[in-house]
Amino acid sequence: MTTMDFVASAPRSATSQPQTATKIDVRDFNFYYGEAKVLHGIALDIPEKQVTALIGPSGCGKSTFIRSINRMNDIIPGARAEGRIAIDGKDLYAPGVDVVALRRRIGMVFQKSNPFPKSIYENIAYGLRIGGISDRRVLDETVERSLKRAALWDEVKDRLGGSALSLSGGQQQRLCIARALAVDPDVLLMDEPASALDPIATQKIEELVYELKNNYTIVIVTHNMQQAARVSDRTAFFMLGKLVEYAETRTIFMNPTEKMTEDYITGRFG
Amino acid sequence: MRHFDREIEQVKELLLRMGAMVEDQINQSIRALLERDTSVAQKVIDSDSYIDQMELTIDERTIELIATMQPAAVDLRFVATAMKITPELERIADLAVDVCERAIELNREPPLKPLVDIPRLARIAQDMVRQSLDSFVRRDAALAREVIARDDEVDSLTEQSFRELLTYMLEDSKNISRAIRLTFIGKYFERMADGATNICEMVVYLAEGKVIKHSGAGHDTD
Amino acid sequence: MKMKRPAKRMADKFVIGLLGLSVVLIMAILVVILGNIAMHGAKMLTWEFISQPPRDGLTAGGILPAIVGTAALVILMSIAAVPLGVATAVYLHEYTPAEGLALAWRRFRVSKGQAGRSHLFMRAMSALLATVTRTAVANLAGVPSIVFGLFGLGFFIQFIGGAIDRATQPPGETLWSQGSLLWAACTLALLTLPTVIVATEEALRTVPQDQREASLALGATQWETIRRVVLPGSLSGILTGAILGISRGAGEVAPILFTGAAYYLPYLPQRVTDQFMHLGYHVLILSTQSPDVEATKPLLYGTVFVLLALTFLLNLAGVIIRSRTRSRR
């Protein structure tokens, strides 16, 4: 074997991504709580089947933004959105959009795990039942598939009828992930999914996100910069409701363009 | 941390490829010298750019690994060691190129003397480079220390070879240019051995967390 | 007041002693009352007493019609009060704005010229309705029970009952415009409504908001969320409130004075338009209307005992149901 053969067969960088389609397209998006404007002219495109992280200091609007994607902010009084967020080209804020159907295509995992006080099985079957599916076989298969996807199956397969509340914090959060995956969404939104968990459980969640991105487009909000660096392909840095910088994660963490980004990453901010 | 382990494995693999390329370069340079084969020497010189490329790639990857994975403890020492080994390997490869350049010059004149010490020196240096990389792969501090100990042998062989070449130079001034070139070649191999020694000091740090460089157990390169 | 250590310890002991004394006092009163009733009433508890109607001018016999009447009344009252109360509480807690009328109105006013204004207006109106309802419920809780009785007489019996009679009965017939199980149950339902509503709202409040959010995020409508998550999750609280209200209503006498209770009926009630005898009312009658006080005293004790037993049973059922639904969590 010659030197040239060695070079030709060298593995490419694991994190350099080929160009992929845009899944979520945001244009000129503003958001108000009553009179207060909390998001200013946000514009970005979130690529398909990759992990996009949203970072920034508290109150910078990242949680508000992620909740705008599945219109969960609608339930907050006085909340108002302007601009466009489109998934697969269809604007979510167009008049006449069925919010309930929209939410079925988008899964959400919250900061504090919130399983229903039902059995593990019924928690996962919930999304299917409200979709009208009651065939026991379909439910069984889907429950198993979702739990396997969430790396929880082995731990609970013998006690699917047990209460969801009997699981540990990390397991509950994985249950919530499985619950969200059961309806087979395209997009998975995660709002600080590991912030209430211990380091081992956090690691499991992060490892899960790596695997999930093969099948789902993931947007994750995290206040933990290192987590964003570990887990995501692209990172968006928010501050005071504005999108300061949005680029490949390695760029943001090795050589950001904006000084504000660098100050935040290096901890010199605030 | 399976994803992280995969990333570390990839860096290790890249480093080993680079090591293999460098060993090949040394091998070819010895061949070019002993067989007086200019075309082989030229190939070595031309291939050096690939090794430079590998150094840049590994550099970029290791920094990216630190930025995105925040390695700790042995993983951090591994990444730091990898970052320091690559320039050593690149320097060793450059030395092989230097040997080939001198070999091409020597080939234009008839051989000065049968080469005895220099090939021996070269083989030892080649061995040390290979073993230093082995010790890195296996994180074998004992092997690394053995390699470091052999550096004395290299130094004395170099000294011996130089003294012999000195006699040739004093004997006949027409020998001087060839003898000087051979002296340089000996020096180059000696510096390859020093590079291998540096690598081994870093392997000890990786395996045990102990810094042994500058403590007399190893030798600094010039 | 500066006290030295031994004095402080003594003050401590004094207070504990005082508190213990009050507990003992209360227990003593309870024991005396209940004991007295149990002593004299338990011995009346024969099969005859429970299964026979009274005779000889209420001086002998049993209290079967009163038991049946009370049971029928309680059942009808529950059917009227609980669904209505739970529905009202669900509407108030889940469908009206949480921020209250003042804030909702202010949000509407400052939104001049913006899109979605009509939405804010509807929210404010909903908040207004909620405030009015809650005020009504709170006031209803304070109404003296005799007033309920008069209301039952004037509204249910004379107004509504009269209208039904005029529409469906031959002239002169007063099938619907007289005291009956139906109207008494309705009147009692009004009385227990505030209890059920408040307890249900409390129970709904114990369901954390993030569970509702989880359900909505999965693509459920608000009603589906209520039906599948909120109500099952608050069931124990709702049942407790319902039983609390029911057991209160079972003991009330004033509201049924004019709306259907009779002091003596030779038959058991069979239709909702029938009048009925009632344990609490029977106690009133026995103690004030009886011709022979000495003869009726034991009957009185017996009736009171049965009434208390009924109340205790209802409360016990409440406790059991509550613990069972709670331990299922």
Side-chain angles (χ1 to χ4, degrees), chain C residues 145-146 148-150 152 184 187-188 191 252-260:
Chain C
S145 42
I146 190 82
F148 277 108
L150 288 173
T187 309
L188 275 181
L191 188 108
E252 285 284 342
V253 175
I256 59 174
L257 288 177
F258 321 119
T259 51

Side-chain angles (χ1 to χ4, degrees), chain B residues 56-67:
Chain B
L56 292 175
T57 306
I58 297 178
D59 246 2
E60 192 187 309
R61 278 296 208 91
T62 46
I63 293 194
E64 193 183 311
L65 207 77
I66 294 179

Side-chain angles (χ1 to χ4, degrees), chain B residues 94-156:
Chain B
D94 283 345
L95 288 166
V97 164
D98 292 337
V99 166
C100 288
E101 283 171 354
R102 302 291 90 74
I104 290 178
E105 290 160 10
L106 280 174
N107 288 346
R108 295 197 198 108
E109 295 179 67
L112 175 64
K113 65 180 244 345
L115 301 172
V116 177
D117 288 332
I118 289 184
R120 253 177 75 198
L121 176 58
R123 295 286 174 211
I124 295 177
Q126 185 184 33
D127 257 0
M128 284 171 71
V129 170
R130 188 176 33 85
Q131 283 182 322
S132 71
L133 287 172
D134 276 350
S135 73
F136 170 70
V137 169
R138 302 206 301 258
R139 296 193 188 169
D140 186 347
L143 178 60
R145 286 198 162 92
E146 277 175 37
V147 173
I148 293 173
R150 283 188 86 180
D151 198 42
D152 291 335
E153 199 185 332
V154 168
D155 288 345
S156 67

Side-chain angles (χ1 to χ4, degrees), chain C residues 15-40:
Chain C
V15 169
I16 292 177
L18 209 61
L19 292 173
L21 196 64
S22 41
V23 170
V24 169
L25 200 66
I26 292 173
M27 300 279 337
I29 294 174
L30 209 61
V31 166
V32 163
I33 295 179
L34 293 181
N36 189 9
I37 293 172
M39 249 190 349
H40 291 110

Side-chain angles (χ1 to χ4, degrees), chain B residues 66-81:
Chain B
I66 294 179
T68 58
M69 294 286 160
Q70 304 100 39
V74 63
D75 294 325
L76 178 62
R77 296 202 303 277
F78 170 80
V79 175
T81 306

Side-chain angles (χ1 to χ4, degrees), chain A residues 122-141:
Chain A
E122 283 305 321
N123 262 275
I124 310 219
Y126 187 83
L128 296 163
R129 287 197 194 275
I130 59 180
I133 299 173
S134 57
D135 183 320
R136 189 76 194 187
R137 238 175 346 155
V138 176
L139 291 178
D140 284 349
E141 275 172 29

